[in-house]
Amino acid sequence: MSKPRIAVIGAGLIGLSTAVCISETIPRCSVTIISDEFTPNTTSDVAAGMLIPHTYPGTPIYQQKQWFKETFDYLFAINNSSEALSAGISLVSGWQIFKTNSNAELPFWSDIVLGFRAMTEMELKKFPQYRFGQAFTTLKCDCPSYLLRLEKRLKGNGGEVHAKRITNLWDLQNDYDIVVNCTGIGSRELIGDLKIYPVRGQVLKVHAPWLNHFIRDPDGLSYIYPGIHNVTLGETREKDSWNLSPDPNISKDIFDKCCALEPSLQKAQDIKVRVGLRPARLAVRLQKEILVQGEKKLPVVHNYGHGSGGFSMHWGTAKEAARLVGECIATLQDPLPKAKL
Ligand SMILES: Cc1cc2nc3c(=O)[nH]c(=O)nc-3n(C[C@H](O)[C@H](O)[C@H](O)COP(=O)(O)OP(=O)(O)OC[C@H]3O[C@@H](n4cnc5c(N)ncnc54)[C@H](O)[C@@H]3O)c2cc1C
Ligand SMILES: *[C@@H]1O[C@H](CO)[C@@H](O)[C@H](O)[C@H]1NC(C)=O
Ligand SMILES: *[C@@H]1O[C@H](CO)[C@@H](O)[C@H](O)[C@H]1NC(C)=O
Ligand SMILES: *[C@@H]1O[C@H](CO)[C@@H](O)[C@H](O)[C@H]1NC(C)=O
Ligand SMILES: *[C@@H]1O[C@H](CO)[C@@H](O)[C@H](O)[C@H]1NC(C)=O
Ligand SMILES: *[C@@H]1O[C@H](CO)[C@@H](O)[C@H](O)[C@H]1NC(C)=O
Ligand SMILES: *[C@@H]1O[C@H](CO)[C@@H](O)[C@H](O)[C@H]1NC(C)=O
């Protein structure tokens, strides 16, 4: 067979990382990204980009742990290179704090981040309203920088990028052998997957370069996440809301809550509001499917539904998607003999 032609739909974090991973692990194939939006206009650009997993209730924990570890190791190696600054990757230490210590149970990812431990009495003195906390070091992406790096890397590997909205997968069948679905919340309309729903998130991006520790209150949904270029203040999680307009009341609420945790934020400058729709699902959809229409067949690999945890899991899921693409290629090359009925 000639060079397999692979189309990846979606240029958010998941489409870009999957396309890069395919181009680096599958020899002799051509990879094209087709997407209607690009950085800086995707959901992935809005994210805080912290490597702190969110738990998917429908995906086994050992699987989530493996995806997180693969992602952490991949970005840790980038942090350890001269590329760290241009890729927007930094190491960041900080605290997650709780008003009760009912959350004293260790999260599944505690042995993957660095130096996970209970906070000391002295550290907790900074937060009189809180009774318990954990300290650790993790990685953070400046999302637009990281997305640009992936796009450059794909092009460097010979990949192409086309701007187009896809309304029917079969339109791709003449030009491509395999299609990879990385459309995030777009999958609801495109594939008619009603198990995916939006969880609206509003955040502030501010200039406060003196901050270098993160603080998060997971129960109160408040966080302060310093990155290389700016600090992300969050957040909201509004299920089933498709509203992309910033709500000024929410912005004020986020700012006030974050100032209560870190009073120096009162001096923050250049405050920008961003809104994104997390592609939420009980489980990430990571599987292959052969679509059939009459005599025609089109292998599709799905990789979407990363919800609140795309940055934390992306490289692990990209590797799995690339492996599934490899399996599809093997089937194209030596079709199994038709079973005798
Ligand atoms: C406020 C907020 C904060 C977050 N913080 C974090 C965090 O700290 N850590 C973390 O791990 N995760 C975080 N996330 C989650 C993370 O942003 C998502 O999991 C991730 O961005 C999903 O990436 P994606 O590529 O699937 O989706 P998207 O970025 O939405 O990309 C989808 C792409 O598909 C394209 N597309 C869709 N439909 C079509 C179509 N029909 N034809 C052509 N193209 C199409 C779109 O144009 C887009 O390019 C946060 C999310 C939000 C909203
Ligand atoms: C992002 O959106 C803006 C406003 O719609 C548009 O002008 C710009 O070209 C878009 N950028 C990219 C890279 O698509
Ligand atoms: C970090 O860089 C050093 C020196 O280049 C190298 O020996 C080490 O293996 C790297 N560590 C990681 C995690 O990439
Ligand atoms: C890794 O991140 C830390 C924290 O941002 C930074 O101090 C360090 O310089 C980074 N490593 C490299 C090689 O840039
Ligand atoms: C995604 O897959 C579904 C089939 O499950 C298909 O109907 C849809 O058109 C696909 N979309 C893209 C862009 O791959
Ligand atoms: C945040 O960083 C991005 C670079 O990724 C930059 O474009 C943006 O202007 C910064 N915002 C603030 C408020 O500093
Ligand atoms: C913001 O709050 C004010 C006062 O509580 C209210 O009148 C207004 O409608 C709210 N705005 C939005 C966009 O919710």
Side-chain angles (χ1 to χ4, degrees), residues 202 204 220-223 233-236 238 247-261:
Q202 182 167 326
L204 306 178
L221 285 183
S222 293
Y223 59 63
L233 309 182
E235 69 166 357
T236 60
E238 300 146 78
D247 177 334
N249 290 357
I250 292 179
S251 295
K252 185 176 181 313
D253 190 49
I254 292 172
F255 192 71
D256 291 348
K257 281 187 181 163
C258 290
C259 286
L261 293 173

Side-chain angles (χ1 to χ4, degrees), residues 33-314:
I33 287 195
I34 303 171
S35 184
D36 60 347
E37 300 280 10
F38 293 88
T39 183
N41 296 340
T42 70
T43 304
S44 303
D45 287 281
V46 173
M50 280 292 274
L51 267 73
I52 300 180
H54 143 96
T55 303
Y56 304 104
T59 304
I61 290 293
Y62 77 86
Q63 179 72 87
Q64 300 185 51
K65 199 168 169 171
Q66 183 191 333
W67 290 341
F68 181 53
K69 173 139 181 55
E70 288 170 347
T71 307
F72 196 93
D73 289 350
Y74 179 71
L75 293 181
F76 192 52
I78 298 176
N79 170 257
N80 190 31
S81 76
S82 58
E83 265 195 283
L85 178 62
S86 65
I89 308 298
S90 55
L91 266 176
V92 50
S93 301
W95 298 299
Q96 63 173 0
I97 51 181
F98 301 93
K99 290 199 166 142
T100 65
N101 50 10
S102 61
N103 276 301
E105 199 184 311
L106 290 182
F108 75 80
W109 41 266
S110 61
D111 57 350
I112 296 172
V113 297
L114 311 175
F116 191 95
R117 61 173 172 81
M119 279 166 72
T120 63
E121 288 291 312
M122 181 62 200
E123 287 172 304
L124 274 168
K125 279 193 180 149
K126 184 170 163 59
F127 309 103
Q129 312 288 327
Y130 292 82
R131 295 203 24 215
F132 172 77
Q134 293 156 333
F136 56 94
T137 298
T138 188
L139 289 150
K140 182 180 183 310
C141 303
D142 175 76
C143 303
S145 309
Y146 184 63
L147 295 174
L148 272 183
R149 171 196 187 264
L150 289 172
E151 199 178 305
K152 278 194 198 137
R153 209 168 160 106
L154 176 70
K155 289 178 176 164
N157 295 342
E160 288 183 29
V161 173
H162 297 172
K164 191 175 175 198
R165 179 167 185 82
I166 303 296
T167 50
N168 183 349
L169 258 198
W170 286 99
D171 296 346
L172 301 169
Q173 203 249 348
N174 282 334
D175 298 320
Y176 299 96
D177 302 304
I178 297 167
V179 174
V180 189
N181 233 334
C182 302
T183 50
I185 195 66
S187 314
R188 189 175 166 105
E189 200 185 346
L190 186 59
I191 317 178
D193 180 348
L194 299 181
K195 288 189 198 137
I196 189 162
Y197 56 90
V199 176
R200 181 184 184 277
Q202 182 167 326
V203 292
L204 306 178
K205 306 261 173 175
V206 309
H207 189 68
W210 60 89
L211 291 183
N212 50 27
H213 264 71
F214 74 82
I215 302 171
R216 75 189 294 245
D217 166 359
D219 299 330
L221 285 183
S222 293
Y223 59 63
I224 300 166
Y225 288 152
I228 285 193
H229 297 295
N230 45 46
V231 183
T232 307
L233 309 182
E235 69 166 357
T236 60
R237 291 195 183 183
E238 300 146 78
K239 203 178 159 199
D240 289 325
S241 167
W242 292 88
N243 182 4
L244 282 168
S245 314
D247 177 334
N249 290 357
I250 292 179
S251 295
K252 185 176 181 313
D253 190 49
I254 292 172
F255 192 71
D256 291 348
K257 281 187 181 163
C258 290
C259 286
L261 293 173
E262 180 53 63
S264 72
L265 271 173
Q266 294 285 2
K267 296 244 166 12
Q269 287 178 332
D270 193 11
I271 300 173
K272 296 199 176 86
V273 193
R274 301 294 308 265
V275 177
L277 305 178
R278 302 176 183 87
R281 217 172 169 274
L282 272 181
V284 175
R285 184 166 185 212
L286 196 39
Q287 57 187 195
K288 61 180 180 185
E289 177 183 28
I290 313 274
L291 300 184
V292 181
Q293 200 176 66
E295 293 286 288
K296 293 190 288 182
K297 288 192 177 155
L298 183 59
V300 177
V301 172
H302 299 282
N303 186 11
Y304 64 81
H306 294 66
S308 305
F311 278 85
S312 310
M313 300 295 179
H314 72 279

